[in-house]
Amino acid sequence: MPSTKEIKNRIKSVQDTQKITGAMHLIAATKLQRAKAEFDKTRPYFDAVKGEIKRIFRTDEDIDSRYFYPVTGEHDFEGAYGYLVITADKGLAGAYNLNVIKQALAMMSAHDNNKLYVVGEYGRQYFATHKIPIEKSFLYTAQNPTMHRAREMSSILVDAFNKGELKKIFVIYTDFHSGLNDEACTTRLLPFHRANFTTPAQEKSIDVPFEFEPSMEQVLDNIIPSYITGFIYSALVSGFCSEQSARMTAMDSANTNAEKLLDGLGRQYNHIRQSDITREITEIASGSRSLKRNAEKHRKE
């Protein structure tokens, strides 16, 4: 049985760990709020970009663009598929990273020719350890999603798509909802399906025709890269928010477990302390009785 000193040392160790997990919870909450605020500032611009793409399709549903599936509905293409996998830089976030990686491995197993693009140190280390080749590792910290970094990623991926090096591009990340039901998801980035930008029938009529210079196709081709940048940025922020939410949940769970552990250690400490007190009282009482018997023995003599 451990001594009271050993239990007190363990209680102090758990309390010190609890202070760390509490601090990490507060830091994650602050980062989450800041990231959401930054994303909300940029959302109106990309909503407007999507609105302009819809306007083009309201004008001509059959417009031809290399960024969209053909009007014929052909979906299968021969060639490499690209996967942008967004993970965190570190663990301590529950199953956040593993869920994204499992989703990526499942997608890659369905196609033979794959090219992997990775964000986040955790993902880089995982794929390197398992000897899965990485086409491009974006050496940015996942802790600081910015529009500039999203634009660089978009430029590399779109350029590979335009050159025919990639026939399809997917983004694998964690979609942030409320922190309660966040889940890893896969979104096809390119080519787009026309249904993504079509509007209900009652909204399709245009009273005054729009004019596009130099042409409708070139306007669409110029808008799409900006839209892709916005989507990648939203995926980076969504993944970052989900990471912080998962870390908050993990730290909450750690704090709850620490409270239970401290409660158990406290009871154990009190039990041992009470046993020690009882033993000391017993020893004192035994000694007292022994002295009393010796005194009586001396008086009789």
Side-chain angles (χ1 to χ4, degrees):
M1 180 179 292
S3 65
T4 53
K5 182 178 180 181
E6 290 174 336
I7 294 179
K8 287 178 69 175
N9 289 337
R10 191 175 180 193
I11 289 174
K12 186 178 184 306
S13 177
V14 173
Q15 289 173 338
D16 290 342
T17 303
Q18 197 174 26
K19 291 178 183 178
I20 295 173
T21 56
M24 291 181 67
H25 180 277
L26 293 176
I27 292 171
T30 302
K31 288 182 177 180
L32 173 62
Q33 294 301 323
R34 186 169 64 244
K36 289 174 64 178
E38 289 296 324
F39 179 64
D40 288 340
K41 291 179 183 178
T42 60
R43 185 187 295 273
Y45 170 75
F46 294 106
D47 287 343
V49 171
K50 185 173 183 178
E52 291 306 311
I53 298 174
K54 286 186 175 182
R55 184 184 306 229
I56 292 174
F57 276 93
R58 288 206 309 272
T59 304
D60 183 1
E61 291 183 355
D62 298 329
I63 184 173
D64 188 27
S65 172
R66 61 181 178 275
Y67 297 122
F68 287 81
Y69 280 128
V71 180
T72 57
E74 182 185 358
H75 285 185
D76 295 326
F77 305 106
E78 294 292 333
Y81 289 2
Y83 300 91
L84 176 62
V85 182
I86 300 174
T87 65
D89 288 327
K90 54 188 177 181
L92 298 177
Y96 167 79
N97 289 300
L98 289 179
N99 288 340
V100 173
I101 290 173
K102 287 180 181 177
Q103 186 85 354
L105 294 176
M107 287 293 298
M108 294 171 65
S109 66
H111 190 74
D112 294 332
N113 190 355
N114 302 303
K115 292 186 178 182
L116 196 58
Y117 299 80
V118 181
V119 178
E121 186 62 28
Y122 194 100
R124 285 192 287 270
Q125 292 294 333
Y126 179 91
F127 292 118
T129 301
H130 291 78
K131 302 189 184 307
I132 299 174
I134 298 176
E135 179 71 18
K136 172 68 177 177
S137 183
F138 295 103
L139 300 177
Y140 321 127
T141 172
Q143 297 292 308
N144 186 25
T146 65
M147 183 63 66
H148 175 69
R149 291 171 178 174
R151 191 173 291 111
E152 288 183 346
M153 295 180 197
S154 172
S155 176
I156 291 173
L157 293 172
V158 171
D159 185 59
F161 182 82
N162 289 337
K163 291 179 179 178
E165 297 172 359
L166 298 176
K167 295 300 182 181
K168 288 185 181 182
I169 301 175
F170 297 88
V171 181
I172 303 172
Y173 66 105
T174 304
D175 193 16
F176 179 75
H177 295 290
S178 63
L180 299 176
N181 58 346
D182 300 346
E183 57 183 16
C185 64
T186 301
T187 300
R188 186 186 65 254
L189 190 59
L190 286 172
F192 291 109
H193 196 288
R194 295 168 185 270
N196 295 343
F197 298 96
T198 56
T199 54
Q202 62 270 22
E203 298 182 13
K204 289 184 179 179
S205 59
I206 299 178
D207 297 331
V208 180
F210 295 100
E211 294 184 2
F212 298 90
E213 294 292 342
S215 68
M216 191 181 302
E217 289 78 8
Q218 291 187 35
V219 170
L220 183 61
D221 286 349
N222 287 331
I223 291 177
I224 288 297
S226 295
Y227 179 77
I228 292 173
T229 297
F231 187 90
I232 291 177
Y233 177 65
S234 69
L236 290 171
V237 174
S238 182
F240 178 70
C241 289
S242 297
E243 177 197 349
Q244 302 310 317
S245 176
R247 184 163 291 115
M248 289 169 61
T249 301
M251 294 305 103
D252 272 338
S253 178
N255 284 332
T256 300
N257 291 335
E259 289 292 344
K260 292 179 180 178
L261 187 57
L262 288 173
D263 187 53
L265 288 171
R267 287 197 300 268
Q268 187 180 10
Y269 175 80
N270 291 334
H271 177 73
I272 295 175
R273 181 166 166 270
Q274 187 62 46
S275 297
D276 289 342
I277 293 172
T278 302
R279 186 180 65 254
E280 290 174 2
I281 292 174
T282 302
E283 290 174 353
I284 293 171
S286 298
S288 178
R289 285 195 297 270
S290 177
L291 290 173
K292 187 176 180 181
R293 284 196 300 268
N294 290 335
E296 290 178 353
K297 183 178 179 181
H298 287 305
R299 281 199 302 270
K300 289 179 181 180
E301 293 177 354

